[in-house]
């Protein structure tokens, strides 16, 4: 094939490019002369290729599409679920070893009551072992004597009390028949019949509960022995036990926990001692009131009032109601009303004068927190849980308050140290003119 046609083609292409350059140059010269730019020719749209794949639009990140409030709620929700699961597992563990937990908690309360006596004996020069043994023996003997006295008084007066209760029920029946409530003899008999049928229908349950009483007694004895054992070692070696417990805390949090521990112990000690004093005052004055009203078993009722005072709010209501019921069934409505007046008067003086003065602000707990904690403690561990619930809340309040203040103090010190360590720029002095 000849090369002439290819050469001619290249020459034509060069001439065409030269013509395009000349046209562009001519357009630029005209633009400079007229100051207006010629409109650019519209570009033709590219041909559509039906075989080209369709590209999907780019979608945003799903996390970015979720509203901010929903994202925050979700983040808080799964953390709350983890905390709830942890609390649930902890409650299951406590329920499994409930006897051990209650025994140790009771030992802590008894130790908080007896430890100042040990410290006082140590200051008098008595060695630690004899001081611990003397305090523990004296404390447990007093507790045992109180229990024996209550049992002896109840057994001595149970026959007389049953006769008085029967007479009181008869008097109450006569009073109801003559009262403005229009209660008929048929209605009273129907109530008595319903009570007898309920007792008869639940005979099996009552029998099984009586058989389970043996297990309850064994567990109670085990708990008492374990409480005594824990109390002895807490009185004798409490400081070293606390120092060993601090080793389980992470090193970064150890200084704060070390400072919170003594404050928590002082709060617990003040709570127990204040509660004992308040309960003793309640028992003495209410006991004297029901004694002068000639209510039977005034001394055992006073002891019950003392013991129930360790359950805040609920215990006072229960012990006061017990005294009022005994007065009602033994001496009638007037004595019951007078007993109720005595109980309410003493409890009002206790709640508004004695507790703020004796316990102080450090161990005061809001009534709503008291009710909720006592209810939760009773649901989890019965009477023992109700007893230890409020001191646990008081101690937790003290610990949380101290740790918050400690964290704020550490943050303030760190900021001050950084401000001191930061180099300051030298200030140039103005030159003299």
């Amino acid at each position: 094939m000849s090369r002439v046609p290819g050469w001619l083609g290249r020459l034509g292409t060069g001439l065409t490019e030269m013509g395009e350059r000349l046209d562009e140059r001519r357009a630029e010269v005209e633009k400079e002369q007229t100051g207006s730019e010629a409109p650019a020719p519209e570009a033709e749209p590219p041909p559509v290729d039906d075989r080209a794949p369709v590209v999907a639009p780019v979608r945003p990140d799903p996390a970015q599409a979720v509203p901010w409030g929903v994202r925050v709620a979700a983040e808080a929700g799964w953390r709350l679920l983890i905390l709830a699961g942890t609390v649930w597992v902890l409650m299951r563990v406590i329920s499994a070893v409930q006897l051990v937990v209650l025994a140790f908690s009771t030992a802590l309360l008894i130790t908080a009551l007896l430890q100042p006596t040990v410290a006082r004996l140590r200051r008098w020069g008595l060695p630690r072992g004899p001081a611990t043994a003397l305090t523990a023996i004296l404390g447990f003997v007093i507790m045992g004597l109180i229990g024996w006295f209550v049992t002896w008084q109840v057994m001595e007066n149970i026959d007389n009390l049953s006769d008085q209760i029967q007479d009181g029920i008869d008097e109450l029946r006569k009073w109801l028949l003559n009262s403005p409530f229009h209660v008929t003899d048929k209605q009273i008999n129907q109530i008595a019949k319903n009570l007898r049928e309920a007792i008869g229908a639940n005979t099996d349950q009552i029998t099984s509960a009586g058989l389970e009483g043996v297990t309850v007694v064994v567990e109670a004895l085990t708990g008492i022995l374990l409480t005594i054992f824990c109390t002895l070692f807490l009185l004798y070696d409490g400081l070293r036990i606390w120092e060993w417990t601090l080793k389980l805390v992470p090193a970064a949090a150890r200084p704060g926990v070390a400072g919170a521990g003594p404050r928590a112990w002082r709060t617990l000690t003040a709570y127990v001692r204040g509660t004992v004093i308040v309960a003793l005052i309640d028992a003495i004055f209410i006991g004297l009131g029901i004694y002068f009203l000639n209510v039977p078993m005034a001394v055992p009722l006073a002891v019950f009032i003392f013991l129930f005072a360790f359950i805040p709010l609920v215990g006072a209501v229960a012990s006061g109601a017990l005294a009022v019921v005994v007065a009602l069934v033994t001496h009638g409505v007037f004595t019951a009303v007078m007993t109720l007046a005595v109980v309410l008067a003493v409890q009002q003086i206790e709640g508004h004068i004695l507790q703020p003065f004796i316990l102080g602000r450090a161990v005061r707990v809001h009534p709503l927190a008291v009710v909720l904690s006592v209810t939760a403690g009773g649901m989890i561990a019965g009477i023992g849980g109700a007893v230890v619930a409020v001191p646990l809340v008081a101690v937790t309040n003290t610990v949380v308050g101290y740790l918050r203040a400690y964290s704020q103090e550490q943050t303030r010190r760190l900021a001050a140290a950084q401000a001191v360590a930061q180099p300051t720029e030298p200030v140039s002095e103005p030159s003299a003119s």
Side-chain angles (χ1 to χ4, degrees):
M1 177 181 284
S2 176
R3 296 181 180 178
V4 174
W7 176 79
L8 290 176
R10 289 193 294 273
L11 180 60
T13 303
L15 292 175
T16 302
E17 292 176 356
M18 185 179 296
E20 291 177 354
R21 293 194 194 97
L22 290 174
D23 293 336
E24 291 175 359
R25 179 59 181 167
R26 189 181 298 109
E28 292 175 359
V29 172
E30 291 177 356
K31 178 182 177 182
E32 292 175 357
Q33 293 177 355
T34 61
S36 62
E37 183 176 1
E42 296 182 359
E44 297 182 359
V48 179
D49 189 1
D50 296 337
R51 295 173 298 176
V54 179
V55 179
V58 179
R59 295 182 178 179
D61 186 7
Q64 300 296 330
V66 179
W68 175 255
V70 177
R71 293 173 63 184
V72 172
E75 292 284 341
W78 69 261
R79 287 176 170 84
L80 289 176
L81 287 177
I82 292 178
L83 289 177
T86 304
V87 173
W88 183 82
V89 172
L90 182 61
M91 291 297 102
R92 297 288 294 180
V93 172
I94 291 176
S95 299
V97 291
Q98 178 177 339
L99 181 63
V100 178
V101 173
L102 286 180
F104 184 75
S105 301
T106 307
L108 278 176
L109 296 178
I110 297 175
T111 304
L113 179 63
L114 300 180
Q115 193 271 336
T117 304
V118 176
R120 187 175 294 108
L121 293 177
R122 292 290 306 278
R123 288 195 298 268
W124 290 349
L126 199 64
R128 183 172 59 179
T132 302
L134 182 61
T135 304
I137 291 173
L138 183 62
F140 285 114
V141 165
I142 292 175
M143 296 177 191
L145 287 176
I146 292 175
W148 170 82
F149 179 75
V150 172
T151 305
W152 172 62
Q153 285 291 315
V154 172
M155 296 302 295
E156 283 289 326
N157 295 277
I158 191 66
D159 295 333
N160 185 26
L161 181 63
S162 61
D163 295 336
Q164 291 183 350
I165 289 176
Q166 185 61 42
D167 296 338
I169 292 174
D170 295 336
E171 293 180 3
L172 181 61
R173 179 172 181 169
K174 295 178 182 178
W175 181 81
L176 288 174
L177 291 174
N178 299 323
S179 67
F181 299 109
H182 304 290
V183 180
T184 63
D185 191 25
K186 182 179 179 180
Q187 292 175 338
I188 295 176
N189 292 333
Q190 185 63 34
I191 294 173
K193 181 181 177 181
N194 292 336
L195 289 175
R196 286 194 299 269
E197 290 178 355
I199 294 174
N202 297 315
T203 302
D204 295 336
Q205 297 180 0
I206 295 173
T207 304
S208 62
L211 294 176
E212 292 176 356
V214 178
T215 306
V216 173
V217 170
V218 173
E219 291 182 353
L221 292 177
T222 304
I224 291 173
L225 293 177
L226 187 59
T227 301
I228 295 174
F229 187 78
C230 293
T231 303
L232 288 174
F233 276 95
L234 288 174
L235 286 174
Y236 181 76
D237 220 8
L239 181 59
R240 285 197 290 183
I241 293 174
W242 169 245
E243 292 175 351
W244 177 84
T245 306
L246 280 178
K247 297 179 181 178
L248 304 178
V249 181
R254 197 171 298 166
V257 176
R263 288 167 175 79
W265 182 251
R266 285 197 294 269
T267 298
L268 182 62
T269 303
Y271 177 85
V272 175
R273 294 177 64 184
T275 303
V276 169
I277 295 173
V278 171
L280 188 61
I281 294 174
D282 282 352
I284 291 175
F285 285 97
I286 295 178
L288 288 174
I290 61 178
Y291 175 79
F292 286 116
L293 290 173
N294 201 22
V295 177
M297 292 200 310
V299 177
L301 286 175
V303 176
F304 276 118
I305 291 170
F306 173 79
L307 296 177
F308 275 82
F310 286 91
I311 307 177
L313 294 181
V314 179
V317 173
S319 59
L322 179 62
V324 172
V325 168
V326 173
L328 177 65
V329 299
T330 54
H331 290 288
V333 178
F334 177 76
T335 306
V337 171
M338 296 302 297
T339 303
L340 179 62
V342 171
V343 171
L344 291 178
V346 174
Q347 289 181 355
Q348 289 298 315
I349 295 174
E350 168 216 327
H352 293 88
I353 299 177
L354 295 180
Q355 283 191 354
F357 178 74
I358 296 175
L359 294 180
R361 295 184 176 272
V363 295
R364 291 181 63 185
V365 182
H366 195 275
L368 178 60
V370 171
V371 173
L372 294 178
S373 59
V374 169
T375 304
M379 293 174 62
I380 295 173
I383 297 177
V387 171
V388 303
V390 177
L392 178 62
V393 171
V395 169
T396 303
N397 184 35
T398 300
V399 171
V400 171
Y402 173 79
L403 291 179
R404 185 188 300 113
Y406 178 81
S407 177
Q408 294 175 353
E409 180 66 19
Q410 291 298 110
T411 303
R412 188 187 63 80
R413 290 182 179 180
L414 181 60
Q418 291 177 352
V420 171
Q422 184 177 3
T424 57
E425 297 182 358
V427 180
S428 58
E429 297 181 358
S431 57
S433 56

